[in-house]
Amino acid sequence: MATGETGFDDVTFDLISVQYHSLKAGHDYGQYVRDARNAGEDEIAEFFERVMAEDSARAQQCHAFLARLTRDGTDATSPQGDAG
């Protein structure tokens, strides 16, 4: 796999990025749900809750992929990671 400027392979970096942004968005959506509920817009609040659940599932899937790609904190695509 190609190694990006970070020293991590591109796929690992991409998964970490998606996971981070999904978790960050989920945090923000909590405020959106509260705003909609405070405005009496339950349908919109439910929409934000669905979006939040989708991002949570996305972050969990990234976590599972990262676990598959790494062993003991070592990038599985490195020669050391392939030895185990």
Side-chain angles (χ1 to χ4, degrees), residues 20-31 51-53 55-56:
Y20 168 80
H21 290 288
S22 295
L23 292 170
K24 173 70 173 107
H27 179 268
D28 294 342
Y29 296 147
Q31 182 61 51
V51 171
M52 188 167 39
D55 267 327
S56 177

Side-chain angles (χ1 to χ4, degrees), residues 10-23:
D10 292 339
V11 172
T12 299
F13 179 84
D14 296 346
L15 285 167
I16 290 168
S17 180
V18 169
Q19 185 179 41
Y20 168 80
H21 290 288
S22 295
L23 292 170

Side-chain angles (χ1 to χ4, degrees), residues 3-67:
T3 301
E5 295 175 12
T6 63
F8 288 91
D9 67 85
D10 292 339
V11 172
T12 299
F13 179 84
D14 296 346
L15 285 167
I16 290 168
S17 180
V18 169
Q19 185 179 41
Y20 168 80
H21 290 288
S22 295
L23 292 170
K24 173 70 173 107
H27 179 268
D28 294 342
Y29 296 147
Q31 182 61 51
Y32 303 166
V33 170
R34 287 187 296 277
D35 291 346
R37 293 258 184 244
N38 290 339
E41 295 289 349
D42 290 337
E43 184 178 17
I44 295 171
E46 290 168 8
F47 165 75
F48 288 136
E49 288 170 338
R50 285 192 308 273
V51 171
M52 188 167 39
E54 291 167 3
D55 267 327
S56 177
R58 191 171 294 114
Q60 290 173 2
Q61 184 66 62
C62 287
H63 186 76
F65 284 138
L66 288 165

